[in-house]
Amino acid sequence: MEELHSETQKAEPEPSPKIIGLTGGIGSGKTTVAHFIEEFGFPVYYSDDRAKAIVNESEDLKIKIKELLGEGAYDANGLYDRKYVAEKVFTDKDLLHELNEIIHPAVKIDFENWLMKQTKYLVFKETALLFELKLNKQCYKSLLVTAEDNIRTKRVMDRDGKTYREVESIMEKQMPEKDKIKLADCLIYNNTNLEDLKEQTERVIFSIE
Ligand code: ATP
């Protein structure tokens, strides 16, 4: 009887949260949507921000990056020298690939550690290269924020003070919107104002089953 009692008391293991991959091209509004998602009470993991932070946080990563790119990859204060690294890998695709082979697994582990601490049934993972790196395959669903190219360009010019040509050259290197739209499970069209964007975000996230 005692044994039966303790059996019935055993807590069911918590189901792991469903991971929604949130993505969008430059200036699409994915960060704005991510902030709305947090306002609606769901946690967001910012992959690109975490990747930038991890290169300074992990001693293991620092050693590997210095081995690959030289001591100059970190400045006199021990901080990742983004300009040095960019110059090194800009014209060397293999080197860039090797650098990513170091950074991406570290972000994966960082995400898994973050995920273990989450208690909501849905979590969001903001990643610019979700489809390019096929990370959507590791997600329950993908959510794409998209907008017309000219609208995205204008927003980035206003936000970053970049020229039309600078934004255009970044866009040209990204996966075309039409290809991303085909791959996405859920879509948010960010062609109008922030109120509309917030409403769409609410509708989409609360309709994910
Ligand atoms: P990136 O990949 O370049 O970091 P992103 O996809 O994260 O861009 P955001 O930073 O969210 O895009 O948005 C780009 C800019 O456009 C920001 O300044 C943001 O405030 C503005 N913005 C986004 N959506 C709207 C909107 N619907 N109306 C007006 N401004 C917007």
Side-chain angles (χ1 to χ4, degrees):
M1 196 60 194
E2 192 55 37
E3 220 174 70
L4 193 74
H5 181 72
S6 64
E7 268 304 300
T8 53
Q9 293 288 307
K10 211 184 267 176
E12 285 289 317
E14 285 290 323
S16 37
K18 286 176 176 160
I19 303 160
I20 312 300
L22 169 64
T23 194
I26 181 169
S28 60
K30 61 189 167 299
T31 309
T32 310
V33 167
H35 293 157
F36 288 148
I37 289 171
E38 288 192 285
E39 279 182 40
F40 289 120
F42 294 97
V44 180
Y45 179 86
Y46 294 87
S47 306
D48 304 328
D49 290 351
R50 284 302 300 148
K52 284 186 190 141
I54 286 170
V55 291
N56 284 317
E57 287 170 5
S58 160
E59 289 307 318
D60 179 46
L61 219 53
K62 278 190 187 182
I63 293 167
K64 287 183 183 156
I65 292 172
K66 281 185 193 172
E67 269 171 14
L68 181 72
L69 303 175
E71 288 293 318
Y74 286 82
D75 67 17
N77 299 315
L79 292 174
Y80 191 71
D81 190 334
R82 221 154 272 291
K83 195 164 170 276
Y84 171 95
V85 174
E87 277 165 14
K88 276 260 175 189
V89 300
F90 189 66
T91 50
D92 191 334
K93 273 191 171 170
D94 293 338
L95 204 56
L96 175 62
H97 177 75
E98 284 183 66
L99 178 64
N100 285 335
E101 289 289 295
I102 295 172
I103 296 175
H104 291 161
V107 177
K108 188 168 188 284
I109 293 169
D110 184 69
F111 173 70
E112 280 159 8
N113 290 336
W114 175 88
L115 186 63
M116 276 194 294
K117 294 183 215 132
Q118 304 311 316
T119 52
K120 285 273 182 179
Y121 67 97
L122 275 187
V123 301
F124 292 78
K125 186 181 185 188
E126 191 218 30
T127 312
L129 299 177
L130 187 80
F131 296 126
E132 290 85 338
L133 299 177
K134 298 190 170 40
L135 296 172
N136 54 321
K137 301 219 182 297
Q138 297 164 21
C139 296
Y140 173 66
K141 283 196 174 149
S142 58
L143 167 53
L144 174 71
V145 184
T146 185
E148 301 293 335
D149 285 2
N150 61 335
I151 295 176
R152 295 197 287 135
T153 307
K154 166 93 176 53
R155 285 181 185 150
V156 177
M157 287 167 69
D158 290 348
R159 185 192 61 188
D160 299 344
K162 283 191 163 59
T163 64
Y164 182 86
R165 185 65 207 123
E166 281 169 331
V167 184
E168 207 181 43
S169 90
I170 297 171
M171 254 182 205
E172 280 165 4
K173 292 190 191 83
Q174 297 189 335
M175 185 188 277
E177 288 301 291
K178 63 174 175 36
D179 295 344
K180 287 186 186 166
I181 290 171
K182 277 188 210 149
L183 291 168
D185 297 306
C186 312
L187 275 165
I188 290 179
Y189 289 94
N190 185 17
N191 289 318
T192 62
N193 53 39
L194 291 168
E195 289 72 35
D196 172 49
L197 184 64
K198 191 169 184 176
E199 268 173 38
Q200 286 191 65
T201 304
E202 183 175 25
R203 211 175 319 126
V204 168
I205 65 174
F206 285 103
S207 64
I208 295 171
E209 293 178 333

